[in-house]
Amino acid sequence: MFSPPSPEEPVRPADTQGDVYVLSFPKCGRTWLRLLMAKAISTARGIPMEVCRDLALTGFSAVDSTVPRIVFWHDDRVPWRTPAGLSRNKGFYRDRKVVLLVRDIRDTAVSRYFQVLHRDFRPYAGEIGDFLTEDEGSVRTCLTFWDIWHARQDVPASFLLTSYERLAADTAGELARVLDFCGLAPAGRDALRTVVDFAEFKAMRAMELSNALNTDKLRPAVPGNPDSYKTRRGVIGGYRDYLTPEQIDYVNDATRRILAPPWQPAAFAADAAPASPHRLDRTP
């Protein structure tokens, strides 16, 4: 069983040789961004997607050493942490680049609930209101994690904040910004359009249903149950379909109390997003 170290001794990723680390709390759109970046590198370098086994982008670096080693992971085993157990020591990233992917905290919380309900090895037994107030791996852990990175963003060699909502609003433009930050040559407009179409929600859902990528990172936990899919449902602001006004107030109040003010707009990003009642979620 995993035994978290003290906050002074952070958990390091299994791959410590990365040039760029893409970090996130679970359910912020990490698989979508990973698939976009994998397809972009494959298209630009002419390297088959098959070398990117289990969506590990370092497979491209093994074939072409000029491709930076890009490692995705949930920094410091954050899903299994309490707020007090999170490490504030980010010295590991001092000579590396860091991309932090965030998402509206309320949409994140709802999507995370369905993950622990259907995709955890020990399924969560409570209701969504119970989950919101859990001490481990829920709302306050996520907000504290973001707040730590707000305070420590000057530790890495370079730091980039992006979000699911920015990717949804301008997928090609935001992807180009992330790729450029990682040190990858900018792709042309047509190439980016191909990449965006490849990772569009319906295409990702089809990949998941057919197990096209042969990875648990894009495979239903319970075939036939859409709530168990990586490509689940959520629209931007979809939390309103699941949370009561009192539950929303709880998350909003926690955000204002825990997260540094400059990053609070990102945590409330769904409030600024245009209404999109028919937009399907891209947040695996």
Side-chain angles (χ1 to χ4, degrees):
M1 181 178 292
F2 170 69
S3 178
S6 71
E8 289 73 34
E9 298 175 352
V11 179
R12 292 186 176 186
D15 188 338
T16 60
Q17 303 303 311
D19 302 305
V20 183
Y21 285 83
V22 182
L23 313 178
S24 68
F25 191 80
K27 309 312 295 178
C28 287
R30 186 175 75 148
T31 304
W32 181 35
L33 178 58
R34 186 192 292 235
L35 191 61
L36 284 165
M37 293 178 71
K39 183 62 175 178
I41 295 170
S42 172
T43 300
R45 302 297 179 106
I47 305 173
M49 282 283 288
E50 286 72 20
V51 308
C52 188
R53 292 182 181 275
D54 206 27
L55 286 179
L57 270 63
T58 51
F60 294 120
S61 308
V63 173
D64 183 346
S65 62
T66 67
V67 177
R69 286 183 61 84
I70 302 171
V71 178
F72 280 71
W73 92 298
H74 296 309
D75 178 39
D76 198 34
R77 295 293 295 271
V78 65
W80 297 278
R81 297 284 207 172
T82 65
L86 287 166
S87 175
R88 286 159 174 76
N89 181 352
K90 302 303 179 186
F92 170 76
Y93 301 101
R94 193 168 302 280
D95 298 321
R96 298 167 168 91
K97 295 182 177 182
V98 167
V99 177
L100 181 65
L101 174 66
V102 301
R103 183 190 182 192
D104 185 288
I105 182 59
R106 298 150 304 185
D107 283 337
T108 301
V110 169
S111 194
R112 172 80 173 137
Y113 169 71
F114 280 106
Q115 180 184 44
V116 299
L117 187 68
H118 295 296
R119 298 186 66 88
D120 247 25
F121 68 97
R122 290 182 300 177
Y124 187 72
E127 300 295 328
I128 193 167
D130 302 320
F131 175 72
L132 295 178
T133 61
E134 288 286 352
D135 199 36
E136 180 181 284
S138 189
V139 170
R140 288 181 292 110
T141 296
C142 179
L143 292 169
T144 304
F145 175 65
W146 290 347
D147 190 64
I148 289 170
W149 268 111
H150 175 267
R152 301 291 188 267
Q153 61 184 294
D154 61 337
V155 173
S158 302
F159 178 87
L160 179 72
L161 180 70
T162 187
S163 71
Y164 170 70
E165 291 81 13
R166 289 187 66 139
L167 280 166
D170 179 11
T171 307
E174 189 63 8
L175 174 60
R177 190 172 79 100
V178 172
L179 293 172
D180 180 65
F181 173 83
C182 292
L184 293 162
R189 182 175 300 179
D190 290 344
L192 284 172
R193 186 69 257 167
T194 297
V195 171
V196 171
D197 289 345
F198 174 82
E200 190 269 336
F201 178 85
K202 290 181 180 179
M204 286 188 69
R205 171 62 65 84
M207 288 183 226
E208 181 167 11
L209 292 175
S210 66
N211 194 26
L213 299 180
N214 191 29
T215 172
D216 287 338
K217 293 180 175 61
L218 196 61
R219 181 184 293 147
V222 184
N225 181 353
D227 280 336
S228 80
Y229 293 2
K230 280 282 195 170
T231 50
R232 189 181 63 83
R233 178 252 178 190
V235 298
I236 294 177
Y239 70 88
R240 300 182 185 92
D241 296 332
Y242 298 94
L243 302 183
T244 67
E246 293 76 19
Q247 290 166 347
I248 294 171
D249 286 345
Y250 167 79
V251 180
N252 290 352
D253 290 344
T255 302
R256 296 186 184 102
R257 176 169 45 85
I258 296 171
L259 186 59
W263 281 14
Q264 288 182 19
F268 295 136
D271 293 344
S276 54
H278 303 297
R279 181 183 295 172
L280 291 170
D281 191 9
R282 300 175 176 80
T283 50

